[in-house]
PDB file of all heavy atoms in Angstrom:
ATOM      1  N   LEU A 152      -5.808   7.799  19.263  1.00  0.00           N
ATOM      2  CA  LEU A 152      -5.669   9.150  19.871  1.00  0.00           C
ATOM      3  C   LEU A 152      -4.241   9.656  19.625  1.00  0.00           C
ATOM      4  O   LEU A 152      -4.024  10.843  19.289  1.00  0.00           O
ATOM      5  CB  LEU A 152      -6.030   9.118  21.348  1.00  0.00           C
ATOM      6  CG  LEU A 152      -5.869  10.476  22.086  1.00  0.00           C
ATOM      7  CD1 LEU A 152      -7.068  10.692  23.030  1.00  0.00           C
ATOM      8  CD2 LEU A 152      -4.586  10.633  22.779  1.00  0.00           C
ATOM      9  N   ASP A 156      -3.451  12.833  17.305  1.00  0.00           N
ATOM     10  CA  ASP A 156      -3.379  13.992  18.175  1.00  0.00           C
ATOM     11  C   ASP A 156      -2.067  14.162  18.966  1.00  0.00           C
ATOM     12  O   ASP A 156      -1.263  15.027  18.617  1.00  0.00           O
ATOM     13  CB  ASP A 156      -4.588  13.957  19.181  1.00  0.00           C
ATOM     14  CG  ASP A 156      -4.775  15.257  19.984  1.00  0.00           C
ATOM     15  OD1 ASP A 156      -4.030  16.133  19.855  1.00  0.00           O
ATOM     16  OD2 ASP A 156      -5.820  15.340  20.732  1.00  0.00           O
ATOM     17  N   GLU A 204     -11.861  12.551  18.984  1.00  0.00           N
ATOM     18  CA  GLU A 204     -10.884  13.572  18.631  1.00  0.00           C
ATOM     19  C   GLU A 204     -10.903  13.786  17.018  1.00  0.00           C
ATOM     20  O   GLU A 204     -10.778  14.895  16.552  1.00  0.00           O
ATOM     21  CB  GLU A 204      -9.459  13.199  19.021  1.00  0.00           C
ATOM     22  CG  GLU A 204      -9.369  12.875  20.492  1.00  0.00           C
ATOM     23  CD  GLU A 204      -9.321  14.088  21.441  1.00  0.00           C
ATOM     24  OE1 GLU A 204      -9.356  15.209  20.967  1.00  0.00           O
ATOM     25  OE2 GLU A 204      -9.232  13.902  22.680  1.00  0.00           O
ATOM     26  N   LYS A 207     -13.700  15.861  16.214  1.00  0.00           N
ATOM     27  CA  LYS A 207     -13.348  17.233  16.551  1.00  0.00           C
ATOM     28  C   LYS A 207     -12.729  17.976  15.365  1.00  0.00           C
ATOM     29  O   LYS A 207     -13.073  19.146  15.044  1.00  0.00           O
ATOM     30  CB  LYS A 207     -12.434  17.154  17.719  1.00  0.00           C
ATOM     31  CG  LYS A 207     -11.827  18.535  18.205  1.00  0.00           C
ATOM     32  CD  LYS A 207     -10.781  18.290  19.273  1.00  0.00           C
ATOM     33  CE  LYS A 207      -9.422  18.031  18.668  1.00  0.00           C
ATOM     34  NZ  LYS A 207      -8.335  17.983  19.694  1.00  0.00           N
ATOM     35  N   LEU A 263      -8.141  23.562  19.136  1.00  0.00           N
ATOM     36  CA  LEU A 263      -8.018  22.114  19.400  1.00  0.00           C
ATOM     37  C   LEU A 263      -8.659  21.712  20.708  1.00  0.00           C
ATOM     38  O   LEU A 263      -8.879  20.548  20.955  1.00  0.00           O
ATOM     39  CB  LEU A 263      -6.595  21.685  19.430  1.00  0.00           C
ATOM     40  CG  LEU A 263      -5.776  21.910  18.090  1.00  0.00           C
ATOM     41  CD1 LEU A 263      -4.310  21.589  18.338  1.00  0.00           C
ATOM     42  CD2 LEU A 263      -6.318  21.003  16.979  1.00  0.00           C
ATOM     43  N   HIS A 267     -13.336  20.303  24.877  1.00  0.00           N
ATOM     44  CA  HIS A 267     -12.512  19.891  25.997  1.00  0.00           C
ATOM     45  C   HIS A 267     -12.772  20.675  27.263  1.00  0.00           C
ATOM     46  O   HIS A 267     -12.482  20.183  28.348  1.00  0.00           O
ATOM     47  CB  HIS A 267     -11.026  20.021  25.589  1.00  0.00           C
ATOM     48  CG  HIS A 267     -10.598  18.854  24.773  1.00  0.00           C
ATOM     49  ND1 HIS A 267     -11.019  18.591  23.484  1.00  0.00           N
ATOM     50  CD2 HIS A 267      -9.605  17.867  24.963  1.00  0.00           C
ATOM     51  CE1 HIS A 267     -10.415  17.553  22.956  1.00  0.00           C
ATOM     52  NE2 HIS A 267      -9.622  17.006  23.859  1.00  0.00           N
ATOM     53  N   HIS A 271     -13.349  18.181  29.889  1.00  0.00           N
ATOM     54  CA  HIS A 271     -12.411  17.938  30.998  1.00  0.00           C
ATOM     55  C   HIS A 271     -13.167  18.027  32.361  1.00  0.00           C
ATOM     56  O   HIS A 271     -12.865  17.268  33.249  1.00  0.00           O
ATOM     57  CB  HIS A 271     -11.305  19.055  31.033  1.00  0.00           C
ATOM     58  CG  HIS A 271     -10.221  18.756  30.057  1.00  0.00           C
ATOM     59  ND1 HIS A 271      -9.555  19.751  29.390  1.00  0.00           N
ATOM     60  CD2 HIS A 271      -9.657  17.600  29.662  1.00  0.00           C
ATOM     61  CE1 HIS A 271      -8.589  19.152  28.639  1.00  0.00           C
ATOM     62  NE2 HIS A 271      -8.663  17.860  28.813  1.00  0.00           N
ATOM     63  N   HIS A 283     -11.536   9.777  28.439  1.00  0.00           N
ATOM     64  CA  HIS A 283     -11.345  11.066  27.881  1.00  0.00           C
ATOM     65  C   HIS A 283     -12.157  11.319  26.593  1.00  0.00           C
ATOM     66  O   HIS A 283     -12.929  12.301  26.477  1.00  0.00           O
ATOM     67  CB  HIS A 283      -9.830  11.276  27.579  1.00  0.00           C
ATOM     68  CG  HIS A 283      -9.491  12.553  27.020  1.00  0.00           C
ATOM     69  ND1 HIS A 283      -9.566  13.805  27.614  1.00  0.00           N
ATOM     70  CD2 HIS A 283      -9.171  12.909  25.682  1.00  0.00           C
ATOM     71  CE1 HIS A 283      -9.244  14.791  26.798  1.00  0.00           C
ATOM     72  NE2 HIS A 283      -9.037  14.276  25.622  1.00  0.00           N
ATOM     73  N   VAL A 287     -15.087  14.045  25.915  1.00  0.00           N
ATOM     74  CA  VAL A 287     -14.883  15.039  24.837  1.00  0.00           C
ATOM     75  C   VAL A 287     -16.130  15.043  23.972  1.00  0.00           C
ATOM     76  O   VAL A 287     -16.642  16.061  23.559  1.00  0.00           O
ATOM     77  CB  VAL A 287     -13.620  14.810  24.019  1.00  0.00           C
ATOM     78  CG1 VAL A 287     -13.567  15.748  22.773  1.00  0.00           C
ATOM     79  CG2 VAL A 287     -12.380  15.139  24.915  1.00  0.00           C
TER      80      VAL A 287
HETATM   81 ZN1   ZN B 418      -8.434  15.258  23.850  1.00  0.00          ZN
END
Side-chain angles (χ1 to χ4, degrees):
L152 180 139
D156 193 354
E204 307 283 357
K207 176 186 86 176
L263 299 171
H267 281 64
H271 278 145
H283 177 73
V287 170

